[in-house]
Amino acid sequence: MEMNSTINNKWRFCTFASFIGCIILLFCLNQGQERVKLSTLGNIGEPMALHNDSDQHSAANIQLLQPSNTIEYGKEINVEEVVDDGCNIFDGKWVYDPMTSPLYNGSVCPFLSDQVSCQRNGRPDVEYQKWSWEAKGCKIPRLNSTDMLERLRGKRVIIVGDSLNRNQWESLACLLYTAIPSSQAQVHVRSGVYKVFRAKDYNCSVEFYWSPFLVELEVNGEGGRKILRLDKLSASARKWHGADIMVFNTGHWWVHTGKIKAWDLFEYGGKVVEKMEIESAFEIAMKTWAGWVDKNVEKTKTKVFFRSISTEHKGKQWCYNESKPSMDDQSYASTFPHSIVEIAERTVGGMGAAVTYLNITKLSKYRRDAHPTVYTAKQGKVLTPMQQTQPHSYADCSHWCLPGVPDTWNRLLYASLVFDNSRDAFTS
């Protein structure tokens, strides 16, 4: 009897141990499945790889770019959330936003010029990259590069104007480049006068054409003198035809004087004159451009933008050694002639719905911290250490570091496209 009892106790113990073992095994299997699920979700949420064969990127840098490559606004857009006919996306404030800014890492853009590659040129601070523009009274969609590429599928974008529009082209090309494999991107650069970025899978292109006056400047005119032809568009205009999105600017070169003035003579109506009020010459040129748009742009197919003056920071508002935006509306007094701005606004306003005025002047005026200053290139050469110690002679307070302010210009360009499409959907 004692032996049978001992055997029974052992069987009970084995049965109990087996039962406990089964529970433990089932628990482990379940945890393994959960780990698989979590791992899968982690892969979905990881930032898109940045493609540049010559660069190795740290995990910190890749993580920094994650927000621009996840579908926050690229998903099905809530029309009721973003559509507000009373919203002015150009009026607002800069907000420190290190979690989502900048929108890309400048080191992944192999075509970024030395003129605006501030980090590559030795700028020691990065805080200027971490500010985001917020509009008053509405939400601006964050620029999603993949969504923008989808919107541009099969389309041409042309950006025409001076070096500030070239600044904008470099920004937009970098924004789109970070969203695709490098093997699917083509970049062709011919000095500073023509640049094109193509995304092959999307069959789209972003092209830059150098034309600081929009009208023709003949550099070897009568007697070797430079003639600004006010009633004739620049030669590159023949390549503007057929574009789906056009972004123009002019104004900065019109106010140059002395040695940096680009022309010697004006020509208008077949007559060559040496002297003319700049406002009169500028207005004739703007009307020449507006006439071309009215005559050559198919308004149901093409969206035309005219970008406003990009603020310089010179004199009392000097940009050197600034590290954060100004928050005071009264702290900046523009040195740019108001008459030129007024003519541009009047011309664009008179074109009705044909042209959208991309008014980036106010948001740019707060950002004297975001210029290249001495971390730039002059005449194609990066400033030497000795030149960097002479900011009064070499600081660039006109162009913008990238990543930087022009990314916001392109974000507002993107927002304009989103809002237009959303309104169409909302009203159809």
Side-chain angles (χ1 to χ4, degrees):
M1 292 294 293
E2 290 180 1
M3 182 177 293
N4 288 338
S5 176
T6 301
I7 292 173
N8 288 337
N9 288 336
K10 288 181 178 179
W11 275 109
R12 290 191 189 97
F13 176 80
C14 290
T15 301
F16 178 77
S18 298
F19 176 74
I20 295 299
C22 288
I23 292 175
I24 292 172
L25 179 61
L26 288 172
F27 177 80
C28 291
L29 288 173
N30 184 60
Q31 288 297 306
Q33 289 176 343
E34 288 300 315
R35 279 195 295 271
V36 171
K37 291 178 183 177
L38 290 171
S39 175
T40 304
L41 290 171
N43 290 336
I44 292 172
E46 285 175 3
M48 185 179 297
L50 302 176
H51 302 276
N52 183 348
D53 296 337
S54 63
D55 290 323
Q56 297 295 323
H57 308 293
S58 68
N61 285 340
I62 293 176
Q63 184 66 26
L64 186 66
L65 300 172
Q66 181 174 356
S68 66
N69 292 317
T70 54
I71 309 300
E72 180 181 359
Y73 288 93
K75 64 184 179 182
E76 191 73 24
I77 292 175
N78 184 336
V79 175
E80 295 181 357
E81 179 182 349
V82 300
V83 175
D84 181 353
D85 288 328
C87 173
N88 180 3
I89 60 176
F90 307 111
D91 185 21
K93 62 182 179 180
W94 289 98
V95 175
Y96 188 64
D97 188 10
M99 295 301 295
T100 61
S101 299
L103 296 175
Y104 59 91
N105 189 319
S107 67
V108 308
C109 297
F111 47 84
L112 203 59
S113 68
D114 287 333
Q115 184 182 43
V116 297
S117 298
C118 302
Q119 292 296 305
R120 191 168 70 206
N121 296 338
R123 180 164 178 167
D125 62 308
V126 297
E127 296 304 298
Y128 67 92
Q129 299 181 356
K130 299 180 180 181
W131 294 84
S132 180
W133 179 252
E134 284 190 2
K136 294 179 181 177
C138 63
K139 189 174 184 180
I140 305 174
R142 180 177 174 79
L143 192 151
N144 181 278
S145 300
T146 303
D147 181 63
M148 190 165 193
L149 282 165
E150 285 293 349
R151 293 173 186 276
L152 298 181
R153 185 180 289 276
K155 292 181 168 59
R156 284 179 64 212
V157 179
I158 64 166
I159 299 178
V160 183
D162 57 29
S163 57
L164 277 307
N165 253 17
R166 185 169 63 216
N167 218 172
Q168 184 170 1
W169 176 90
E170 291 188 72
S171 163
L172 184 54
C174 283
L175 286 162
L176 299 181
Y177 179 78
T178 60
I180 61 176
S182 58
S183 60
Q184 295 302 314
Q186 289 182 333
V187 178
H188 177 66
V189 174
R190 192 176 73 225
S191 185
V193 300
Y194 172 71
K195 296 173 180 278
V196 59
F197 165 85
R198 291 189 178 89
K200 293 189 285 186
D201 276 354
Y202 292 89
N203 188 31
C204 70
S205 66
V206 181
E207 306 160 23
F208 169 75
Y209 295 94
W210 168 258
S211 182
F213 299 101
L214 298 183
V215 294
E216 182 182 278
L217 177 65
E218 184 180 351
V219 294
N220 292 306
E222 183 180 332
R225 306 180 81 182
K226 295 170 288 188
I227 302 175
L228 193 55
R229 305 187 188 281
L230 302 177
D231 51 3
K232 183 178 181 181
L233 280 188
S234 63
S236 66
R238 67 182 186 275
K239 299 179 181 178
W240 307 347
H241 288 275
D244 301 276
I245 296 172
M246 300 176 171
V247 183
F248 295 95
N249 94 299
T250 190
H252 293 278
W253 279 55
W254 291 88
V255 299
H256 287 175
T257 58
K259 293 181 179 180
I260 63 173
K261 189 181 76 168
W263 70 90
D264 299 308
L265 305 168
F266 293 109
E267 181 179 295
Y268 175 60
K271 295 181 180 181
V272 177
V273 297
E274 186 169 349
K275 294 183 179 180
M276 182 184 294
E277 292 291 332
I278 292 301
E279 289 80 4
S280 299
F282 181 69
E283 186 158 18
I284 294 169
M286 284 296 295
K287 287 180 178 178
T288 299
W289 167 78
W292 182 90
V293 171
D294 287 339
K295 181 179 179 181
N296 295 279
V297 172
E298 188 177 341
K299 297 174 180 60
T300 57
K301 174 182 181 291
T302 301
K303 294 184 183 297
V304 182
F305 296 86
F306 185 89
R307 184 182 58 72
S308 70
I309 292 297
S310 168
T311 310
E312 295 182 329
H313 291 90
K314 298 178 180 179
K316 293 181 180 179
Q317 289 84 29
W318 198 34
C319 70
Y320 184 64
N321 266 355
E322 291 293 328
S323 59
K324 62 182 180 181
S326 167
M327 301 298 183
D328 181 6
D329 276 343
Q330 306 304 318
S331 66
Y332 177 79
S334 177
T335 57
F336 195 86
H338 179 71
S339 56
I340 297 295
V341 175
E342 190 177 55
I343 291 168
E345 292 180 348
R346 185 168 65 244
T347 303
V348 171
M351 300 173 74
V355 180
T356 298
Y357 191 58
L358 199 64
N359 192 356
I360 54 81
T361 302
K362 181 176 181 178
L363 67 92
S364 300
K365 80 175 184 178
Y366 297 125
R367 298 305 310 276
R368 58 178 174 171
D369 61 308
H371 294 287
T373 66
V374 296
Y375 306 104
T376 187
K378 296 281 188 181
Q379 298 178 339
K381 295 182 179 180
V382 176
L383 298 188
T384 65
M386 179 61 72
Q387 289 172 328
Q388 289 184 353
T389 64
Q390 304 173 55
H392 285 283
S393 299
Y394 294 99
D396 180 353
C397 295
S398 300
H399 301 95
W400 304 92
C401 294
L402 289 179
V405 170
D407 303 326
T408 295
W409 303 351
N410 285 315
R411 182 184 170 204
L412 299 181
L413 175 67
Y414 171 72
S416 298
L417 299 175
V418 170
F419 285 1
D420 282 349
N421 291 343
S422 297
R423 288 190 182 101
D424 291 344
F426 196 58
T427 56
S428 62

